[in-house]
Amino acid sequence: MKVAILGQGYVGSIFSIGLERIKNGEIEPYGVPLSNELPIKIEDIEIVASYDVDKSKIGKTVYEVCKRYYDKVPESLKDIVVEKGIHLRSLRNLPIEAEGLEDNLSLSEAVDKLIESWKEKGVEVIVNVCTTESFVPFNDKEELIKAIEEDKKERVTATQVYAYAACKYAKEVGGAAFINAIPTLIANDKAFVELAKESNLVIFGDDGATGATPLTADVITHLCQRNRHIKYIVQFNIGGNTDFLALTDEERNKSKEYTKSSIVKDILGYEPPHYIKPTGYLEPIGDRKFISMDIEYISFNGAIDELIINGRINDSPALAGLLVDLVRLGKMAIERKEFGTVYEVNAFYMKNPGPIEKKNIPRIIAYEKLRMWAGLKPRWL
Amino acid sequence: MKVAILGQGYVGSIFSIGLERIKNGEIEPYGVPLSNELPIKIEDIEIVASYDVDKSKIGKTVYEVCKRYYDKVPESLKDIVVEKGIHLRSLRNLPIEAEGLEDNLSLSEAVDKLIESWKEKGVEVIVNVCTTESFVPFNDKEELIKAIEEDKKERVTATQVYAYAACKYAKEVGGAAFINAIPTLIANDKAFVELAKESNLVIFGDDGATGATPLTADVITHLCQRNRHIKYIVQFNIGGNTDFLALTDEERNKSKEYTKSSIVKDILGYEPPHYIKPTGYLEPIGDRKFISMDIEYISFNGAIDELIINGRINDSPALAGLLVDLVRLGKMAIERKEFGTVYEVNAFYMKNPGPIEKKNIPRIIAYEKLRMWAGLKPRWL
Amino acid sequence: MKVAILGQGYVGSIFSIGLERIKNGEIEPYGVPLSNELPIKIEDIEIVASYDVDKSKIGKTVYEVCKRYYDKVPESLKDIVVEKGIHLRSLRNLPIEAEGLEDNLSLSEAVDKLIESWKEKGVEVIVNVCTTESFVPFNDKEELIKAIEEDKKERVTATQVYAYAACKYAKEVGGAAFINAIPTLIANDKAFVELAKESNLVIFGDDGATGATPLTADVITHLCQRNRHIKYIVQFNIGGNTDFLALTDEERNKSKEYTKSSIVKDILGYEPPHYIKPTGYLEPIGDRKFISMDIEYISFNGAIDELIINGRINDSPALAGLLVDLVRLGKMAIERKEFGTVYEVNAFYMKNPGPIEKKNIPRIIAYEKLRMWAGLKPRWL
Amino acid sequence: MKVAILGQGYVGSIFSIGLERIKNGEIEPYGVPLSNELPIKIEDIEIVASYDVDKSKIGKTVYEVCKRYYDKVPESLKDIVVEKGIHLRSLRNLPIEAEGLEDNLSLSEAVDKLIESWKEKGVEVIVNVCTTESFVPFNDKEELIKAIEEDKKERVTATQVYAYAACKYAKEVGGAAFINAIPTLIANDKAFVELAKESNLVIFGDDGATGATPLTADVITHLCQRNRHIKYIVQFNIGGNTDFLALTDEERNKSKEYTKSSIVKDILGYEPPHYIKPTGYLEPIGDRKFISMDIEYISFNGAIDELIINGRINDSPALAGLLVDLVRLGKMAIERKEFGTVYEVNAFYMKNPGPIEKKNIPRIIAYEKLRMWAGLKPRWL
Ligand SMILES: NC(=O)c1ccc[n+]([C@@H]2O[C@H](COP(=O)([O-])OP(=O)(O)OC[C@H]3O[C@@H](n4cnc5c(N)ncnc54)[C@H](O)[C@@H]3O)[C@@H](O)[C@H]2O)c1
Ligand SMILES: NC(=O)c1ccc[n+]([C@@H]2O[C@H](COP(=O)([O-])OP(=O)(O)OC[C@H]3O[C@@H](n4cnc5c(N)ncnc54)[C@H](O)[C@@H]3O)[C@@H](O)[C@H]2O)c1
Ligand SMILES: NC(=O)c1ccc[n+]([C@@H]2O[C@H](COP(=O)([O-])OP(=O)(O)OC[C@H]3O[C@@H](n4cnc5c(N)ncnc54)[C@H](O)[C@@H]3O)[C@@H](O)[C@H]2O)c1
Ligand SMILES: NC(=O)c1ccc[n+]([C@@H]2O[C@H](COP(=O)([O-])OP(=O)(O)OC[C@H]3O[C@@H](n4cnc5c(N)ncnc54)[C@H](O)[C@@H]3O)[C@@H](O)[C@H]2O)c1
Ligand SMILES: [Mg+2]
Ligand SMILES: [Mg+2]
Ligand SMILES: [Mg+2]
Ligand SMILES: [Mg+2]
């Protein structure tokens, strides 16, 4: 099965590297939830295309780009060359020189150019791991189509255009999947889900569930099941990769904060006072972010308990490992013709599981439901 | 419904106090997992008897004993007087003067004396929260009966005699429940489960699941579901209540260590290197124990992550809150005639859920199964 | 010795309460560094005046105001009534209705009104614990005098006017002390230090050294002395008192961030990458703030070590305890005629010790120097 | 200057490796407190001899042994061969095959054999980093001499014999130094200090101050200087190197526990309740031990604060870095003829600074005194 990557950054590169190393038998598939249980094997995944808008990456091989992030890069990545994607302000305010297809083309033309490239390479699953965007959702399909057709470059973000292009592409080739691992609402935007249904596109999204957020979900489920009353939750995150740098931008940060906070309410049923956000950027921390949580709750007879959780978590591998499942599940959904979006998949893998009307549930339970959707025996149910 | 307490210590007292305060509308039922969802209400619970072997407690009212642990003790506890229980080395090596019914009676006589007292008070559910014991399980019903009948005081522990008495009592009155909240194997001892089945006794056990252990269960489930490979688990516990003091005794400690460690293997399927034990006693820490956990695991592409969890957790309220459910579930099981032991209940509330052949499962899932057993809608399934 | 409080908030109130409780023999003088070692005893301190600009506090007794912060307030605080101070935007953007002497008076008139009140009450030491301000230092004495005389209300902050008034007052009565426990530069502003010298005023400042900052100072000194190379320092702070609320205001926050970060460089000699700021406000955390620090450093042979420090620290008592020393040291400095500012005192008690040209030193050493200045034997030197 | 190592284990090997790498300009001298400030340069240190009793190490080059602990071992270590030392139960109960000079020789003969070897190589400073021992101090010089002369192998430990041999050697060659970095009391044993004085031997000891203990010293000094009253201190340590394995032996553990706990009392003047010990061994933690501390204290007005400190600290590099200073300071002391022991050096570098009548002081202050002793300007005094 053939995969295209949008955004050859840290996540995109660790995904590429780890995948090849597993295929080479160099490492165990740790961090890949369903590893070798799915009918489609990890060995079947093939990266065939990569797109970026960072001038210093376009035209380079994926191998060369990966070398910036990791030492032991498999040779097989020398065959894929990073192509120019759609930019639309994605890297605005970041210390990176950018260029995009839309610099010289209308949005419609840029979309067609992408589709052409995907057809040529036989792409089946498109993985979106671009820089976090500041965006406005559409909700209305007609409005979305109009924005693209009328070339309203200020109204749309790169991810929205990519998802639109994926719809058009799926319609033409008879089926494809778009994995939206970033906060921009796609699986939670009715405009896209509707268009996808009509177009034979599978969408998974939004925002890959890694790090402190899904752990918090399970920890508060644990408290909630014992009817312990949460007084407050504090969650700090600080990291040194470009994603944290991008999040110092207030507008982008809001996209993340929203996703992270909604989980709490979804699970508890009430919204305890909380302070949950990606808090800062500090370069030498690198990709191994530092998280710190403080939770105070009321136990039986009014007793006050406190949990303090600290962690050092490698940010990019966490998402990259999930992607190894998601591309395969995407292919399975295409085969089953479950177009639109699939809540059972999103509920486990995404911070903000689409569709919009569906809520977060405890991850530990979402896992069992996912297994059943994937045709596997639940582990403990 | 009428309850007897075996061991009017910290847990027994906070259970008594918190229960009365909830009944008085003074506090919310936080820490009681199924609070007001069960058909039997918290208001229906009535403590009618209490037994201890600490000389300084016998003959005192439960109110007076509770005052040692907490300030605001409800007046209603003035009506119950602590009676003499069976001792059998329970307090050996502890700085407490002890006496027991068996000081002047044979085991059989002591058992009959207890049964008489329970009958008189109409006891339905017996809660065992005595000091942690060093014990040898029976597994063979005949051997157990022989040990009691032949008055082999060195072979049996207090809990084993109490559970035996509960069987005999249940048989005579047509039904009763015995909640074993301490590590001594009762629900995991075939001798007791078999005898209970024949005697109309419901047994729940063993060892109430509070503190770091069930939290660890859910945290490692979280990691396991993402196929993150645990390199090691460290878990320290230190507290200042008499239970931690009792655990400085190497023999008693082993009972706890076993229970705590088995969870890890049950859930992961493999046994990662671990150091998990109640580690120390330090008086000024009091009942609000300090826990510290360190978990290192391998994520995708060989990345090493680390979680450090610290907590200050009120030990006794945690178990006392569970007891408020357990006594009601015990009564429900009697009514349903589910004699022997009930895995669905044990799996959520107990560190070492009986029967012996059943394993630990993630708590978050055990919760949903418990709800279904109790006739409640699952929350997320 | 007679003390006036500027700002009857959390710190001002805990100072008042704790002081009276120590005087009553109710509690030990914990948190007071030099407790009973100074020639002036804690019993000799008398609070005689209090000023605030919160409408709901003006006209109330200190006892009534203190009741908002603490339960057991000594009766003796019923005798002091909170008077109206100078406002000048101190509470801007906060959900508090404010009024100030300058609402109807020129700055000069307001200053004279204050001086009159201080004379009447025989005030010797003035303690400034108002809300954190956004400010511009003067450095030039003439400019400062002109700003007040020409009634430039937009140029000065309340603290600057208070300090100016203290100078004028000290000159008239022959000696006084002004303890600036907040970040506004006073002891670090040449304009004020010069004016103080000419006016018989002792200034201690700036910004009381409590919480994570002085602890960080000692921890990094520890590392520095072993030549361990700090890779980065992260320090988060979150609290639920009005001071944290005030710091959500970006302008005020900058005053604090500067103070907190400068310590690192002063001690290490180099400036390691760091992220140190008061990070957030969350009401239910109350005055017992949560701090979280992460420090990574290089040890021998390139080994990477990591320290993670979490704390729950009562914010206001920490500063209030220092004030019990500072007012007495202020009086001692008056008696010794050490007008201007006293580095030896500031270096231990202040985050940003004046005068401006002096730097932070490790607190553990500053303590010994302070003792010597105070005429006490050093403890370990 | 020429150094001999007793115990080519983790510390001995990291010391050898790091030293050579610094000399080669490969790495910075991080972790070496006085790095390039001393008159004797790091480049002047030369390892000339090494002794061990592990059969699998004797006869191997230091290079070969170092390879077991670290990847990048400098070639220069190929020239030194590990020789057989004195065993005397050092490795008893450990899974290591051992042999010692005393297997075939009397103690006196073994001592002479060692001295001969040292003479041949021109050894000036002897560093003792053998396995932690269970021991009985002598205090009486005559008794010590008798024990050796009468070949009482059960009475003495390897370290005691090594220190005795060092005395005899120093007397013969006119000066030498013995650095005792392990808990066995040598600098705190009057018998040895007296004998050293008469024999031109410099002793530094006992037990290198690394890890949680000296950090605790500085943290509690910080609290103590603010008169905060410590309610209790908990300190857990767990590691996976052979030293932690050796400490699972109850007898050896006691040596460490004593050293670690005494610091608290020395500094505070009172002994707060504490639980401080090396707690456990878990192989996969390796040399980067996990420490966890919990300190509760009373602040002003009775407020209860809490500090929780977690750390991952590379055990062996921490001590190895100190040794780079200690061997040079040893040589300086020889030159100054300061025979016996030197408290100023011990107070900074040792957990249990000799001589016996001297106590621990805050490390931050000990550092300044050390500098003065070494002829360097204090940094902040
Ligand atoms: N654990 C995680 O790392 C995690 C979890 C959830 C979501 N995410 C999301 O994944 C995304 C990628 O994270 P990262 O750490 O790899 O960031 P990164 O900054 O390392 O990589 C982003 C890459 O996308 C490229 N890019 C930006 N805009 C583009 C566009 N319009 N078209 C094509 N390429 C574009 C950038 O040049 C860069 O190479 C972020 O949006 C982040 O929010 C990451
Ligand atoms: N979170 C928790 O506190 C928790 C969790 C799981 C299990 N437990 C178990 O609950 C039990 C009670 O804990 P605790 O903190 O109340 O201890 P505790 O020491 O405060 O109380 C035990 C009480 O039992 C009494 N006792 C001892 N032997 C007895 C006997 N043979 N008959 C009657 N009374 C007897 C003692 O005198 C004491 O009053 C312990 O076994 C503990 O292992 C507690
Ligand atoms: N540990 C600490 O709490 C700590 C440490 C260092 C510095 N500080 C500083 O101490 C100050 C007080 O902190 P807090 O926690 O008591 O805050 P707070 O908000 O509880 O109290 C401030 C009080 O000052 C009053 N006030 C504001 N402007 C005033 C003015 N112009 N004149 C008179 N009164 C005025 C407010 O109405 C309020 O009553 C802050 O500036 C803070 O930065 C506190
Ligand atoms: N941070 C630290 O690592 C630290 C701090 C303070 C003290 N120490 C002490 O340093 C010592 C060494 O620690 P390590 O981690 O290197 O331990 P290790 O077990 O790795 O090394 C000890 C070495 O000494 C050898 N040995 C044992 N007995 C001997 C004898 N009688 N003669 C010669 N060699 C002998 C062993 O075979 C082994 O090679 C321990 O006593 C420890 O308590 C270490
Ligand atoms: Mg949704
Ligand atoms: Mg079982
Ligand atoms: Mg200064
Ligand atoms: Mg000593």
Side-chain angles (χ1 to χ4, degrees), chain C residues 230-251:
Chain C
I230 294 177
K231 287 186 60 188
Y232 67 80
I233 303 176
V234 169
Q235 189 196 100
F236 296 126
N237 287 268
I238 189 164
N241 58 29
T242 343
D243 195 31
F244 275 91
L245 178 59
L247 289 170
T248 55
D249 185 275
E250 208 41 58
E251 286 307 307

Side-chain angles (χ1 to χ4, degrees), chain B residues 231-234 236 238 273-275 279-282 284-285 288 290 292-294 296 306 308 310 312, chain D residues 231-234 236-238 273-275 279-282 284-285 290 292-294 296 306 308 310 312:
Chain B
K231 288 185 60 188
Y232 66 81
I233 302 176
V234 169
F236 296 126
I238 188 164
H274 55 86
Y275 180 101
T279 311
Y281 169 73
L282 193 57
I285 295 183
R288 200 167 179 246
F290 171 65
S292 182
M293 290 171 50
D294 183 29
E296 239 187 46
E306 181 169 19
I308 296 175
N310 293 121
R312 291 299 305 272
Chain D
K231 287 186 60 188
Y232 67 80
I233 303 177
V234 169
F236 296 127
N237 288 269
I238 188 164
H274 54 86
Y275 180 100
T279 312
Y281 169 74
L282 193 57
I285 296 183
F290 171 64
S292 183
M293 290 170 50
D294 182 29
E296 239 188 44
E306 182 168 19
I308 296 176
N310 293 121
R312 291 300 302 271

Side-chain angles (χ1 to χ4, degrees), chain C residues 170-185:
Chain C
K171 186 146 205 179
E172 294 184 18
V173 301
F178 184 82
I179 318 291
N180 181 44
I182 87 167
T184 307
L185 299 185

Side-chain angles (χ1 to χ4, degrees), chain D residues 58-301:
Chain D
I58 299 168
K60 298 270 172 22
T61 66
V62 169
Y63 175 90
E64 286 170 292
V65 174
C66 284
K67 272 284 183 190
R68 300 189 191 173
Y69 299 103
Y70 200 74
D71 241 28
K72 292 170 267 177
V73 180
E75 302 279 314
S76 47
L77 295 172
K78 287 189 169 159
D79 300 336
I80 319 151
V81 173
V82 178
E83 293 174 48
K84 196 193 293 182
I86 287 163
H87 179 217
L88 288 174
R89 309 171 306 283
S90 274
L91 296 179
R92 189 169 54 178
N93 297 335
L94 289 173
I96 299 170
E97 223 184 317
E99 60 182 16
L101 290 172
E102 85 283 8
D103 293 348
N104 315 306
L105 300 175
S106 74
L107 289 176
S108 299
E109 289 166 341
V111 163
D112 289 340
K113 190 142 179 123
L114 271 178
I115 292 176
E116 198 178 314
S117 168
W118 294 344
K119 277 191 188 156
E120 194 182 295
K121 289 162 179 128
V123 168
E124 297 170 274
V125 180
I126 299 152
V127 173
N128 182 37
V129 281
C130 293
T131 305
T132 310
E133 305 172 337
S134 167
F135 68 96
V136 178
F138 278 95
N139 294 317
D140 185 89
K141 195 183 68 178
E142 306 313 321
E143 211 197 304
L144 160 65
I145 294 170
K146 222 175 82 183
I148 307 266
E149 281 175 1
E150 299 182 357
D151 203 31
K152 294 193 173 152
K153 288 180 176 151
E154 287 311 307
R155 175 62 186 87
V156 290
T157 67
T159 295
Q160 288 169 334
V161 178
Y162 285 137
Y164 176 86
C167 285
K168 207 166 164 203
Y169 172 66
K171 186 147 204 177
E172 297 184 15
V173 299
F178 184 82
I179 318 290
N180 181 43
I182 87 166
T184 306
L185 299 185
I186 299 295
N188 282 290
D189 185 329
K190 286 194 172 146
F192 285 101
V193 176
E194 204 179 314
L195 194 61
K197 269 193 196 135
E198 303 167 6
S199 318
N200 305 330
L201 183 71
V202 173
I203 294 174
F204 293 157
D206 298 317
D207 203 7
T210 64
T213 313
L215 179 63
T216 307
D218 285 335
V219 169
I220 66 177
T221 302
H222 180 92
L223 299 176
C224 171
Q225 290 185 338
R226 282 152 191 80
N227 199 25
R228 295 175 184 157
H229 189 78
I230 295 176
K231 287 186 60 188
Y232 67 80
I233 303 177
V234 169
Q235 188 196 103
F236 296 127
N237 288 269
I238 188 164
N241 58 29
T242 344
D243 194 32
F244 275 91
L245 178 59
L247 290 171
T248 54
D249 185 276
E250 206 44 56
E251 286 308 307
R252 300 183 206 256
N253 206 323
K254 265 183 204 144
S255 318
K256 272 283 183 205
E257 187 178 349
Y258 168 75
T259 322
K260 282 166 168 284
S261 297
S262 65
I263 287 192
V264 175
K265 195 182 166 184
D266 281 0
I267 287 174
L268 294 182
Y270 64 96
E271 192 161 3
H274 54 86
Y275 180 100
I276 302 183
K277 29 182 158 174
T279 312
Y281 169 74
L282 193 57
E283 193 275 332
I285 296 183
D287 197 46
R288 199 166 180 247
K289 69 183 169 188
F290 171 64
I291 63 164
S292 183
M293 290 170 50
D294 182 29
I295 304 178
E296 239 188 44
Y297 58 87
I298 311 180
S299 173
F300 187 66
N301 197 34

Side-chain angles (χ1 to χ4, degrees), chain A residues 188 352-359:
Chain A
N188 282 288
N352 188 7
I356 185 81
E357 62 276 10
K358 291 286 208 143
K359 288 191 182 311

Side-chain angles (χ1 to χ4, degrees), chain B residues 118-339:
Chain B
W118 294 343
K119 278 191 187 157
E120 194 182 297
K121 288 161 178 128
V123 168
E124 297 170 274
V125 180
I126 298 153
V127 173
N128 181 36
V129 282
C130 293
T131 305
T132 311
E133 304 172 340
S134 166
F135 68 95
V136 178
F138 278 95
N139 294 317
D140 185 89
K141 196 184 70 179
E142 304 314 321
E143 211 197 304
L144 159 65
I145 294 170
K146 221 175 82 182
I148 306 266
E149 280 177 1
E150 298 183 358
D151 203 31
K152 293 192 174 154
K153 287 180 177 152
E154 285 311 306
R155 174 65 186 85
V156 291
T157 66
T159 295
Q160 288 168 333
V161 178
Y162 285 137
Y164 176 87
C167 286
K168 208 167 162 200
Y169 173 68
K171 187 147 204 178
E172 296 184 16
V173 300
F178 184 81
I179 319 290
N180 181 44
I182 87 167
T184 305
L185 298 185
I186 299 295
N188 282 289
D189 185 329
K190 288 195 170 146
F192 284 101
V193 176
E194 204 179 314
L195 195 61
K197 270 195 196 133
E198 303 167 6
S199 317
N200 305 330
L201 183 71
V202 173
I203 294 176
F204 293 156
D206 298 317
D207 203 7
T210 65
T213 312
L215 179 63
T216 307
D218 285 334
V219 169
I220 66 177
T221 302
H222 180 92
L223 298 177
C224 172
Q225 290 185 337
R226 281 150 192 82
N227 199 25
R228 295 177 184 155
H229 189 77
I230 294 176
K231 288 185 60 188
Y232 66 81
I233 302 176
V234 169
Q235 189 197 103
F236 296 126
N237 288 268
I238 188 164
N241 58 28
T242 343
D243 194 31
F244 275 91
L245 179 59
L247 289 170
T248 54
D249 186 275
E250 207 43 56
E251 286 308 308
R252 301 183 206 253
N253 207 323
K254 264 181 207 145
S255 318
K256 274 282 183 204
E257 188 178 350
Y258 169 76
T259 322
K260 282 166 167 283
S261 297
S262 65
I263 287 191
V264 174
K265 197 185 164 182
D266 282 0
I267 287 174
L268 293 181
Y270 63 97
E271 191 161 4
H274 55 86
Y275 180 101
I276 302 184
K277 30 183 158 173
T279 311
Y281 169 73
L282 193 57
E283 192 275 332
I285 295 183
D287 196 46
R288 200 167 179 246
K289 68 184 170 188
F290 171 65
I291 64 164
S292 182
M293 290 171 50
D294 183 29
I295 303 179
E296 239 187 46
Y297 59 88
I298 311 180
S299 172
F300 187 65
N301 196 34
I304 306 292
D305 292 352
E306 181 169 19
L307 283 179
I308 296 175
I309 304 182
N310 293 121
R312 291 299 305 272
I313 297 180
N314 290 277
D315 212 23
S316 304
L319 181 52
L322 302 187
L323 293 178
V324 177
D325 274 1
L326 284 164
V327 295
R328 294 181 294 162
L329 294 164
K331 169 92 184 185
M332 284 170 66
I334 301 172
E335 282 165 3
R336 299 185 187 181
K337 300 198 184 304
E338 296 204 25
F339 302 120

